[in-house]
Amino acid sequence: MSSDRETLRQEFPDGWRWIRIARRIGGWLADKEANALFGLTRGRAPQRDAVVVELGSWQGKSSVLLAAGMRHKQNPRLFCVDPFGSDENSAYQETFYAPLTSKMRRSLQETFLRNIQRCGFSGMVHAVKGYSFEVVRSWREPIDILFIDASHEYAAVHRDVLEWAPFLKVGGTIAMHDVSPTWPGPSRVMAEDLQPPYFDELEQADSLVWAVKRSAEALPSAVRRTRIVIPKSDFDRRQQEIQTS
């Protein structure tokens, strides 16, 4: 057994196999974040008829971790919402994504579906092609876990929380990626929206944060000024660790 494999196994005894698999899939996810996603669906999704929604899937790296956590549950469903090829922010599309997709042998959606199939999750994972703000217009189903990793502009992340959080069950978990100095949009939404009385039990693993929904009331759409549950000194320290890791 390789030293890297053994180290991974010791650090993440439950999810290490799936983290190794996810490493082979294109995308941006640290090992601690991958393990946290695996643990969220494994530990917090209900045993029967779980509904998990992922906004932003790219090639399926995070999707595989979310699905893996539910592989022993009964009738779980993971809905992966993604435009699969055209970011709503044209500048991001041209700068970040177009250079990557131009080198791919298959379309982004074909690559995603192929990765899901190779991991054996085709029966559980449902690819929903479209922007999150389009798909939500026809969405009706209660959600157990909501993972937001789509457009990272503040207005877009805030919009995704406002429009999708009403479908999240009280007691359900909302997670958000790239809460870090590199991406101020998700960081600001975390500080403003994922706060009491609407959410609590805020936790973090690298740049992944998650919280529990506690109120059925709708979030106010205007910018709010609320306290940050994570102590600022601790939050700043963790962001420095993320930058230097």
Side-chain angles (χ1 to χ4, degrees):
M1 182 177 291
S2 67
S3 59
D4 179 68
R5 181 178 178 183
E6 182 60 32
T7 300
L8 196 62
R9 185 174 184 174
Q10 291 177 358
E11 187 172 2
F12 309 111
D14 295 323
W16 70 273
R17 293 180 180 85
W18 294 103
I19 296 172
R20 288 191 78 222
I21 291 172
R23 282 178 171 180
R24 305 168 194 160
I25 300 174
W28 305 269
L29 200 65
D31 288 346
K32 289 182 180 179
E33 297 167 349
N35 187 66
L37 288 178
F38 172 82
L40 285 177
T41 53
R42 184 171 185 252
R44 301 194 182 195
Q47 286 298 120
R48 294 180 58 90
D49 302 322
V51 174
V52 177
V53 172
E54 175 184 53
L55 306 182
S57 301
W58 190 235
Q59 296 183 31
K61 179 185 287 287
S62 54
S63 315
V64 165
L65 272 304
L66 292 168
M70 298 189 289
R71 69 192 188 283
H72 296 312
K73 299 180 187 289
Q74 298 183 42
N75 191 38
R77 287 175 294 159
L78 170 60
F79 295 91
C80 297
V81 180
D82 197 294
F84 292 111
S86 181
D87 192 271
E88 66 174 283
N89 185 312
S90 57
Y92 287 173
Q93 176 65 29
E94 182 177 355
T95 303
F96 300 114
Y97 304 124
L100 297 175
T101 56
S102 65
K103 299 176 183 178
M104 295 170 62
R105 293 167 49 192
R106 300 176 178 83
S107 72
L108 182 57
Q109 186 170 7
E110 289 173 332
T111 301
F112 170 84
L113 293 173
R114 185 179 178 86
N115 288 331
I116 295 300
Q117 183 181 33
R118 283 179 167 178
C119 292
F121 296 139
S122 296
M124 182 197 313
V125 175
H126 305 269
V128 183
K129 187 172 183 177
Y131 294 115
S132 58
F133 60 87
E134 296 173 333
V135 175
V136 74
R137 295 170 190 163
S138 58
W139 190 267
R140 297 293 180 269
E141 196 156 6
I143 299 170
D144 295 296
I145 296 177
L146 172 65
F147 176 43
I148 298 177
D149 193 20
S151 178
H152 283 19
E153 289 293 317
Y154 166 75
V157 184
H158 181 54
R159 178 200 64 211
D160 283 339
V161 173
L162 289 180
E163 295 183 346
W164 284 92
F167 295 101
L168 185 65
K169 298 176 183 176
V170 174
T173 298
I174 185 171
M176 187 181 302
H177 194 214
D178 290 325
V179 176
S180 73
T182 304
W183 297 104
S187 301
R188 180 180 170 188
V189 171
M190 179 280 294
E192 293 176 355
D193 292 343
L194 303 192
Q195 303 294 330
Y198 306 98
F199 298 93
D200 68 9
E201 299 183 39
L202 189 66
E203 297 182 67
Q204 182 172 0
D206 282 355
S207 73
L208 181 77
V209 300
W210 61 95
V212 177
K213 182 177 178 178
R214 293 303 184 196
S215 174
E217 296 182 16
L219 282 163
S221 58
V223 172
R224 299 181 294 111
R225 295 181 180 273
T226 56
R227 64 186 179 89
I228 299 177
V229 174
I230 295 178
K232 189 175 187 305
S233 59
D234 186 41
F235 181 78
D236 290 343
R237 176 181 59 78
R238 282 192 251 186
Q239 301 315 308
Q240 288 297 322
E241 291 174 353
I242 293 168
Q243 284 187 305
T244 57
S245 61

